[in-house]
Amino acid sequence: MLDKINALRQEIDALKASSAAEVEELRIKYLSKKGEVSLLFNDFRNVAAEQKRVIGQALNELKNQATEKINALRDSLSSTDSIDSDLDLTRTESPIALGSRHPLSLVREEIIDIFRRLGFTVAEGPEVEDDWHVFSSLNFAADHPARDMQDTFFIQRNPDVLLRTHTSSVQSRVMEHTQPPIRIICPGRVYRNEAISARAHCFFHQVEALYVDENVSFADLRQTLLYFAQEMFGPDTKIRLRPSYFPFTEPSAEMDISCDLCGGKGCSFCKHTGWVEILGCGMVDPNVLESCGIDSKKYKGFALGMGIERITNLKYRVKDLRMFSENDVRFLEEFQSAH
Ligand code: DAH
């Protein structure tokens, strides 16, 4: 009997299986009720009393060995099984390189954040627009030369369908549906028929702000501009307003900020003036309020509009506008640390 046990132990030690079905066959062969190990246990009855201790121990060892071996075979198969099913050969090698946010998105979010702190909420409008929202409602007369200020891409003539040339179109879209108080900030892409160069592109981005309520004054506009400039460019930033012209505002102004490269002393960046221009603004022309259904005797408003590329250039000194849309990873990666 001992010889039989030892022979089985060697046999079991050498067992191999290449599938779960084979393991199960082995289990049945050795460990099931009629399996070889179990049959030996049945024979145990006939063992002479003085041998019972030695053979009993050997039998138990055999059973343990067989159970462990079968379990080990099963484990080794299931771990290779799971590698096969979980292995995703298309996965990026880790650690996964995180992308970075586009500089224009970073600056747009920063501008929105500053105005949000003043109670402005984001409003958006379509990029494909009609003449009314881009020009007529904003006090551009049909034959007014101001229409030539913006080189429009027309999709269709009569009725005109065009790509918006400025985000001021969102002003009229909001005003025609909403009565004051209105306090909105409108970020978005705009299009102009310009030859592409380092300094001009046929599409770029703007943020428009509009505040309409009773008793809104130019002083409110100026204070908002100062707050924005100092939040965006630092607490020492100074602002300067120069008279200007826009059809939709009266009076109109352009705002400069002190050049932070030379601290206002004058350098090549600010063309030796100590100032750099960053946005247009003014008090909403009463004609605009009226054409959008707002009572201009009761309500006043201010508006301002700025180019996001321009602000980004000032913050990050990007010299060539084309960099923003070329998607050169070497350029985009420079902004990784910013977020
Ligand atoms: N829409 C003007 C442009 O694209 C910018 C602008 C100027 C917006 C003055 C305004 C404003 O709201 O008051 O050049």
Side-chain angles (χ1 to χ4, degrees), residues 122-148:
V122 173
E124 281 176 340
E127 291 177 13
V128 178
E129 264 292 6
D130 49 37
D131 175 274
W132 170 256
H133 291 98
V134 178
F135 295 124
S136 302
S137 65
L138 294 171
N139 205 31
F140 286 78
D143 55 353
H144 199 289
R147 284 181 190 247
D148 297 337

mmCIF file of all heavy atoms in Angstrom, residues 122-148:
data_model
loop_
_atom_site.group_PDB
_atom_site.id
_atom_site.type_symbol
_atom_site.label_atom_id
_atom_site.label_comp_id
_atom_site.label_asym_id
_atom_site.label_seq_id
_atom_site.Cartn_x
_atom_site.Cartn_y
_atom_site.Cartn_z
ATOM 1 N N VAL A 122 -22.158 84.297 -18.192
ATOM 2 C CA VAL A 122 -21.760 84.028 -19.581
ATOM 3 C C VAL A 122 -22.984 83.891 -20.484
ATOM 4 O O VAL A 122 -23.961 83.236 -20.126
ATOM 5 C CB VAL A 122 -20.915 82.742 -19.647
ATOM 6 C CG1 VAL A 122 -20.647 82.347 -21.098
ATOM 7 C CG2 VAL A 122 -19.603 82.925 -18.888
ATOM 8 N N ALA A 123 -22.929 84.551 -21.645
ATOM 9 C CA ALA A 123 -23.975 84.375 -22.672
ATOM 10 C C ALA A 123 -23.278 84.050 -23.984
ATOM 11 O O ALA A 123 -22.189 84.559 -24.248
ATOM 12 C CB ALA A 123 -24.796 85.648 -22.813
ATOM 13 N N GLU A 124 -23.893 83.197 -24.771
ATOM 14 C CA GLU A 124 -23.280 82.835 -26.049
ATOM 15 C C GLU A 124 -24.259 83.023 -27.192
ATOM 16 O O GLU A 124 -25.476 83.029 -26.980
ATOM 17 C CB GLU A 124 -22.796 81.378 -26.008
ATOM 18 C CG GLU A 124 -21.473 81.293 -25.270
ATOM 19 C CD GLU A 124 -20.952 79.888 -25.090
ATOM 20 O OE1 GLU A 124 -21.739 78.942 -25.175
ATOM 21 O OE2 GLU A 124 -19.736 79.762 -24.852
ATOM 22 N N GLY A 125 -23.703 83.188 -28.379
ATOM 23 C CA GLY A 125 -24.552 83.340 -29.557
ATOM 24 C C GLY A 125 -23.930 82.598 -30.724
ATOM 25 O O GLY A 125 -22.800 82.118 -30.617
ATOM 26 N N PRO A 126 -24.635 82.527 -31.853
ATOM 27 C CA PRO A 126 -24.125 81.760 -33.004
ATOM 28 C C PRO A 126 -22.987 82.472 -33.739
ATOM 29 O O PRO A 126 -22.922 83.704 -33.742
ATOM 30 C CB PRO A 126 -25.353 81.645 -33.901
ATOM 31 C CG PRO A 126 -26.187 82.821 -33.553
ATOM 32 C CD PRO A 126 -25.959 83.119 -32.105
ATOM 33 N N GLU A 127 -22.118 81.663 -34.361
ATOM 34 C CA GLU A 127 -21.037 82.250 -35.159
ATOM 35 C C GLU A 127 -21.549 82.612 -36.560
ATOM 36 O O GLU A 127 -21.092 83.555 -37.168
ATOM 37 C CB GLU A 127 -19.861 81.262 -35.260
ATOM 38 C CG GLU A 127 -19.174 81.085 -33.916
ATOM 39 C CD GLU A 127 -18.043 80.068 -33.933
ATOM 40 O OE1 GLU A 127 -17.592 79.657 -35.021
ATOM 41 O OE2 GLU A 127 -17.614 79.669 -32.841
ATOM 42 N N VAL A 128 -22.501 81.820 -37.063
ATOM 43 C CA VAL A 128 -23.136 82.165 -38.339
ATOM 44 C C VAL A 128 -24.323 83.056 -37.994
ATOM 45 O O VAL A 128 -25.244 82.637 -37.292
ATOM 46 C CB VAL A 128 -23.600 80.896 -39.092
ATOM 47 C CG1 VAL A 128 -24.307 81.276 -40.383
ATOM 48 C CG2 VAL A 128 -22.414 79.984 -39.375
ATOM 49 N N GLU A 129 -24.271 84.292 -38.470
ATOM 50 C CA GLU A 129 -25.220 85.298 -38.002
ATOM 51 C C GLU A 129 -25.974 85.925 -39.159
ATOM 52 O O GLU A 129 -25.705 85.606 -40.333
ATOM 53 C CB GLU A 129 -24.445 86.396 -37.252
ATOM 54 C CG GLU A 129 -24.401 86.215 -35.743
ATOM 55 C CD GLU A 129 -25.777 86.407 -35.112
ATOM 56 O OE1 GLU A 129 -26.778 86.557 -35.853
ATOM 57 O OE2 GLU A 129 -25.864 86.407 -33.867
ATOM 58 N N ASP A 130 -26.887 86.839 -38.806
ATOM 59 C CA ASP A 130 -27.532 87.629 -39.851
ATOM 60 C C ASP A 130 -27.107 89.084 -39.698
ATOM 61 O O ASP A 130 -26.512 89.472 -38.688
ATOM 62 C CB ASP A 130 -29.057 87.476 -39.771
ATOM 63 C CG ASP A 130 -29.565 87.686 -38.364
ATOM 64 O OD1 ASP A 130 -29.010 88.566 -37.659
ATOM 65 O OD2 ASP A 130 -30.496 86.973 -37.944
ATOM 66 N N ASP A 131 -27.409 89.864 -40.716
ATOM 67 C CA ASP A 131 -26.993 91.269 -40.728
ATOM 68 C C ASP A 131 -27.542 92.034 -39.524
ATOM 69 O O ASP A 131 -26.850 92.856 -38.936
ATOM 70 C CB ASP A 131 -27.466 91.921 -42.034
ATOM 71 C CG ASP A 131 -27.168 93.391 -42.055
ATOM 72 O OD1 ASP A 131 -27.986 94.189 -41.535
ATOM 73 O OD2 ASP A 131 -26.090 93.742 -42.557
ATOM 74 N N TRP A 132 -28.788 91.724 -39.150
ATOM 75 C CA TRP A 132 -29.433 92.479 -38.085
ATOM 76 C C TRP A 132 -28.627 92.428 -36.786
ATOM 77 O O TRP A 132 -28.331 93.454 -36.173
ATOM 78 C CB TRP A 132 -30.860 91.930 -37.856
ATOM 79 C CG TRP A 132 -31.522 92.490 -36.624
ATOM 80 C CD1 TRP A 132 -31.692 91.857 -35.431
ATOM 81 C CD2 TRP A 132 -32.062 93.811 -36.464
ATOM 82 N NE1 TRP A 132 -32.307 92.688 -34.529
ATOM 83 C CE2 TRP A 132 -32.556 93.891 -35.131
ATOM 84 C CE3 TRP A 132 -32.184 94.929 -37.307
ATOM 85 C CZ2 TRP A 132 -33.153 95.047 -34.619
ATOM 86 C CZ3 TRP A 132 -32.786 96.071 -36.790
ATOM 87 C CH2 TRP A 132 -33.255 96.119 -35.467
ATOM 88 N N HIS A 133 -28.249 91.218 -36.366
ATOM 89 C CA HIS A 133 -27.590 91.104 -35.065
ATOM 90 C C HIS A 133 -26.147 91.605 -35.080
ATOM 91 O O HIS A 133 -25.647 92.103 -34.078
ATOM 92 C CB HIS A 133 -27.642 89.651 -34.571
ATOM 93 C CG HIS A 133 -29.026 89.224 -34.216
ATOM 94 N ND1 HIS A 133 -29.819 88.497 -35.072
ATOM 95 C CD2 HIS A 133 -29.778 89.479 -33.106
ATOM 96 C CE1 HIS A 133 -31.008 88.303 -34.498
ATOM 97 N NE2 HIS A 133 -31.008 88.888 -33.313
ATOM 98 N N VAL A 134 -25.489 91.491 -36.237
ATOM 99 C CA VAL A 134 -24.077 91.913 -36.273
ATOM 100 C C VAL A 134 -23.955 93.412 -36.554
ATOM 101 O O VAL A 134 -23.078 94.087 -36.009
ATOM 102 C CB VAL A 134 -23.294 91.112 -37.344
ATOM 103 C CG1 VAL A 134 -21.846 91.580 -37.425
ATOM 104 C CG2 VAL A 134 -23.326 89.630 -36.999
ATOM 105 N N PHE A 135 -24.855 93.946 -37.402
ATOM 106 C CA PHE A 135 -24.698 95.341 -37.802
ATOM 107 C C PHE A 135 -25.912 96.215 -37.491
ATOM 108 O O PHE A 135 -25.820 97.139 -36.688
ATOM 109 C CB PHE A 135 -24.388 95.431 -39.304
ATOM 110 C CG PHE A 135 -23.067 94.815 -39.669
ATOM 111 C CD1 PHE A 135 -22.996 93.813 -40.626
ATOM 112 C CD2 PHE A 135 -21.887 95.258 -39.071
ATOM 113 C CE1 PHE A 135 -21.772 93.258 -40.978
ATOM 114 C CE2 PHE A 135 -20.655 94.698 -39.416
ATOM 115 C CZ PHE A 135 -20.600 93.700 -40.372
ATOM 116 N N SER A 136 -27.056 95.915 -38.127
ATOM 117 C CA SER A 136 -28.165 96.880 -38.101
ATOM 118 C C SER A 136 -28.646 97.195 -36.691
ATOM 119 O O SER A 136 -28.827 98.364 -36.336
ATOM 120 C CB SER A 136 -29.323 96.370 -38.952
ATOM 121 O OG SER A 136 -28.869 96.170 -40.271
ATOM 122 N N SER A 137 -28.828 96.171 -35.869
ATOM 123 C CA SER A 137 -29.332 96.430 -34.517
ATOM 124 C C SER A 137 -28.302 97.200 -33.693
ATOM 125 O O SER A 137 -28.626 97.811 -32.679
ATOM 126 C CB SER A 137 -29.655 95.104 -33.817
ATOM 127 O OG SER A 137 -28.457 94.369 -33.625
ATOM 128 N N LEU A 138 -27.044 97.153 -34.129
ATOM 129 C CA LEU A 138 -25.980 97.830 -33.375
ATOM 130 C C LEU A 138 -25.667 99.205 -33.967
ATOM 131 O O LEU A 138 -24.575 99.746 -33.796
ATOM 132 C CB LEU A 138 -24.724 96.961 -33.343
ATOM 133 C CG LEU A 138 -24.887 95.648 -32.548
ATOM 134 C CD1 LEU A 138 -23.683 94.743 -32.750
ATOM 135 C CD2 LEU A 138 -25.082 95.924 -31.058
ATOM 136 N N ASN A 139 -26.666 99.735 -34.723
ATOM 137 C CA ASN A 139 -26.579 101.126 -35.163
ATOM 138 C C ASN A 139 -25.613 101.346 -36.325
ATOM 139 O O ASN A 139 -25.138 102.451 -36.538
ATOM 140 C CB ASN A 139 -26.170 102.016 -33.973
ATOM 141 C CG ASN A 139 -26.618 103.435 -34.141
ATOM 142 O OD1 ASN A 139 -27.648 103.703 -34.761
ATOM 143 N ND2 ASN A 139 -25.838 104.363 -33.613
ATOM 144 N N PHE A 140 -25.294 100.280 -37.050
ATOM 145 C CA PHE A 140 -24.522 100.460 -38.284
ATOM 146 C C PHE A 140 -25.561 100.767 -39.359
ATOM 147 O O PHE A 140 -26.330 99.880 -39.738
ATOM 148 C CB PHE A 140 -23.817 99.165 -38.701
ATOM 149 C CG PHE A 140 -22.605 98.759 -37.879
ATOM 150 C CD1 PHE A 140 -22.753 98.167 -36.631
ATOM 151 C CD2 PHE A 140 -21.325 98.932 -38.391
ATOM 152 C CE1 PHE A 140 -21.649 97.749 -35.910
ATOM 153 C CE2 PHE A 140 -20.213 98.513 -37.662
ATOM 154 C CZ PHE A 140 -20.378 97.920 -36.418
ATOM 155 N N ALA A 141 -25.623 102.022 -39.879
ATOM 156 C CA ALA A 141 -26.570 102.339 -40.955
ATOM 157 C C ALA A 141 -26.180 101.552 -42.205
ATOM 158 O O ALA A 141 -25.017 101.173 -42.367
ATOM 159 C CB ALA A 141 -26.535 103.838 -41.243
ATOM 160 N N ALA A 142 -27.189 101.321 -43.078
ATOM 161 C CA ALA A 142 -26.965 100.467 -44.247
ATOM 162 C C ALA A 142 -25.772 100.931 -45.072
ATOM 163 O O ALA A 142 -24.974 100.136 -45.552
ATOM 164 C CB ALA A 142 -28.222 100.422 -45.098
ATOM 165 N N ASP A 143 -25.648 102.265 -45.209
ATOM 166 C CA ASP A 143 -24.552 102.763 -46.047
ATOM 167 C C ASP A 143 -23.445 103.382 -45.192
ATOM 168 O O ASP A 143 -22.659 104.193 -45.649
ATOM 169 C CB ASP A 143 -25.108 103.810 -47.014
ATOM 170 C CG ASP A 143 -25.827 104.913 -46.252
ATOM 171 O OD1 ASP A 143 -25.999 104.774 -45.022
ATOM 172 O OD2 ASP A 143 -26.216 105.913 -46.885
ATOM 173 N N HIS A 144 -23.458 103.018 -43.897
ATOM 174 C CA HIS A 144 -22.478 103.636 -43.012
ATOM 175 C C HIS A 144 -21.082 103.066 -43.271
ATOM 176 O O HIS A 144 -20.910 101.842 -43.344
ATOM 177 C CB HIS A 144 -22.882 103.384 -41.549
ATOM 178 C CG HIS A 144 -22.214 104.330 -40.600
ATOM 179 N ND1 HIS A 144 -20.881 104.247 -40.326
ATOM 180 C CD2 HIS A 144 -22.697 105.369 -39.868
ATOM 181 C CE1 HIS A 144 -20.569 105.210 -39.470
ATOM 182 N NE2 HIS A 144 -21.661 105.904 -39.173
ATOM 183 N N PRO A 145 -20.096 103.945 -43.394
ATOM 184 C CA PRO A 145 -18.744 103.448 -43.686
ATOM 185 C C PRO A 145 -18.191 102.546 -42.582
ATOM 186 O O PRO A 145 -17.277 101.760 -42.836
ATOM 187 C CB PRO A 145 -17.896 104.717 -43.813
ATOM 188 C CG PRO A 145 -18.730 105.820 -43.254
ATOM 189 C CD PRO A 145 -20.158 105.418 -43.356
ATOM 190 N N ALA A 146 -18.803 102.585 -41.398
ATOM 191 C CA ALA A 146 -18.301 101.738 -40.307
ATOM 192 C C ALA A 146 -18.388 100.261 -40.659
ATOM 193 O O ALA A 146 -17.625 99.452 -40.147
ATOM 194 C CB ALA A 146 -19.078 102.016 -39.028
ATOM 195 N N ARG A 147 -19.308 99.931 -41.551
ATOM 196 C CA ARG A 147 -19.386 98.523 -41.960
ATOM 197 C C ARG A 147 -18.075 98.057 -42.586
ATOM 198 O O ARG A 147 -17.759 96.885 -42.581
ATOM 199 C CB ARG A 147 -20.523 98.315 -42.962
ATOM 200 C CG ARG A 147 -21.865 98.314 -42.276
ATOM 201 C CD ARG A 147 -22.967 98.094 -43.288
ATOM 202 N NE ARG A 147 -24.245 98.333 -42.655
ATOM 203 C CZ ARG A 147 -25.141 97.385 -42.436
ATOM 204 N NH1 ARG A 147 -24.919 96.166 -42.817
ATOM 205 N NH2 ARG A 147 -26.273 97.677 -41.830
ATOM 206 N N ASP A 148 -17.365 99.013 -43.165
ATOM 207 C CA ASP A 148 -16.082 98.647 -43.785
ATOM 208 C C ASP A 148 -14.985 98.436 -42.736
ATOM 209 O O ASP A 148 -13.914 97.954 -43.055
ATOM 210 C CB ASP A 148 -15.623 99.738 -44.754
ATOM 211 C CG ASP A 148 -16.612 99.887 -45.889
ATOM 212 O OD1 ASP A 148 -17.346 98.920 -46.150
ATOM 213 O OD2 ASP A 148 -16.653 100.974 -46.481
#
